Amino acid sequence: MQQITGNTRVYAIIADPIHHVQTPTAINRLFAARDDDRVMVPFHVKTQDLAGVVEGLRSIQSLDGFIVTVPHKTAMLELCDSVSEAARLVGAVNAVRRGPDGLLHGDILDGAGFVSGLRQKGIEPARRSVYLAGAGGAGKAIAFALAEAGISSLTIYNRSAAKAQALIERLAGVFPDVAFTVGTDNPAGHDLLINSTSLGLAPGDSLPFDVSGLVPEQIVAEIIMQPAITPLLAAAMTKGCRIHDGLPMLLCQIELMAAAMTCTGSELPHEHI
């Protein structure tokens, strides 16, 4: 890593837990490759402390932005002074730019990163039948991005069926050509199965959905990056399924994250202004 001085611009990633995050390594590698005097550090922040921490970050003059991940993405929306259209529609924020005046602008990059990661690995989501476990911040972003990518149908399974139904109602109003359904823990009949929950991060976590009926024709994807092979992916492998781990999503978000935290609004990629 390059030398850190009093002139170094600082960025953070906020999560609970924090041990699994790989974003700082990837972002710092990008900063070093560009010879940018910038550095990202991880912050372990509990839910009850998020608002206070964010308020404090506004006053750190050397801080230009931060990444927000599980479980803070939804709560972060209300803590920003302005948000992108994508963040407003999804109802969550995962990248925040701090202006010189301490004002915070939020964006959501999970969905775009996930879809780009699929395509990078040769998995085209268009016209596929998709099963999504989770309707939280990441799940919402991925659902919007998949619908925008042209999937044929999307079944959303969430422990709170009302939360899944609320997301579907928002999606249906924007994407009338996609068939949306509230699902159960049974992913049978779908081409692409996605876990957007945090289940699999901690040892002993239950599986996000029933894997007993998986067939080799199905693709099983994760957003969790550590461990690389989660219990869900391990179970899918035993069934002969193609698996897609969480790392491509991160790698495809890195440049978008860097842009969202370091650029002015006019310099951001058009779809995230």
Side-chain angles (χ1 to χ4, degrees):
M1 183 179 293
Q2 69 271 28
Q3 184 178 5
I4 297 174
T5 72
N7 293 317
T8 301
R9 304 308 298 174
V10 180
Y11 302 84
I13 179 167
I14 297 174
D16 179 27
I18 197 72
H19 68 273
H20 64 288
V21 299
Q22 298 184 37
T23 304
T25 299
I27 287 276
N28 288 329
R29 186 180 297 120
L30 176 64
F31 288 156
R34 293 177 173 177
D35 199 26
D36 283 347
D37 190 11
R38 309 175 191 270
V39 65
M40 173 175 278
V41 294
F43 288 176
H44 186 185
V45 178
K46 294 289 187 181
T47 299
Q48 63 269 25
D49 299 322
L50 179 64
V53 169
V54 170
E55 189 61 28
L57 292 177
R58 292 177 179 272
S59 301
I60 300 178
Q61 298 300 310
S62 56
L63 184 132
D64 285 342
F66 51 95
I67 299 301
V68 182
T69 187
V70 176
H72 303 311
K73 296 176 186 178
T74 302
M76 192 63 222
L77 185 77
E78 298 301 323
L79 299 177
C80 290
D81 299 294
S82 61
V83 297
S84 69
E85 182 67 7
R88 186 189 66 79
L89 288 172
V90 170
V93 161
N94 79 325
V96 179
R97 182 174 68 256
R98 177 193 172 277
D101 51 5
L103 295 179
L104 304 178
H105 178 77
D107 205 345
I108 185 72
L109 307 173
D110 285 331
F114 182 80
V115 170
S116 294
L118 286 177
R119 287 172 168 158
Q120 185 184 74
K121 296 298 182 179
I123 302 170
E124 174 52 56
R127 296 177 297 281
R128 289 188 187 270
S129 171
V130 181
Y131 174 95
L132 177 67
K140 291 175 184 176
I142 289 170
F144 272 91
L146 287 169
E148 191 171 45
I151 60 173
S152 61
S153 66
L154 178 63
T155 296
I156 301 175
Y157 167 60
N158 194 71
R159 282 178 293 184
S160 166
K163 193 172 181 180
Q165 182 61 46
L167 176 55
I168 283 174
E169 288 173 2
R170 296 178 67 188
L171 290 166
V174 181
F175 303 102
D177 295 333
V178 180
F180 296 103
T181 308
V182 174
T184 67
D185 67 347
N186 181 4
H190 297 84
D191 306 320
L192 174 61
L193 321 180
I194 304 163
N195 174 35
S196 74
T197 77
S198 61
L199 291 174
L201 273 178
D205 277 351
S206 60
L207 294 177
F209 52 82
D210 184 5
V211 300
S212 61
L214 294 182
V215 294
E217 292 76 22
Q218 292 175 310
I219 300 170
V220 179
E222 272 280 15
I223 67 167
I224 292 172
M225 286 161 274
Q226 186 63 35
I229 301 299
T230 62
L232 172 64
L233 295 184
M237 290 170 67
T238 68
K239 297 287 188 175
C241 300
R242 178 177 178 178
I243 64 168
H244 180 79
D245 64 44
L247 186 58
M249 175 180 169
L250 169 63
L251 296 179
C252 288
Q253 282 193 87
I254 292 305
E255 297 226 16
L256 283 174
M257 286 177 172
M261 292 187 299
T262 63
C263 296
T264 63
S266 61
E267 294 171 319
L268 288 175
H270 177 72
E271 64 270 27
H272 297 293
I273 293 174

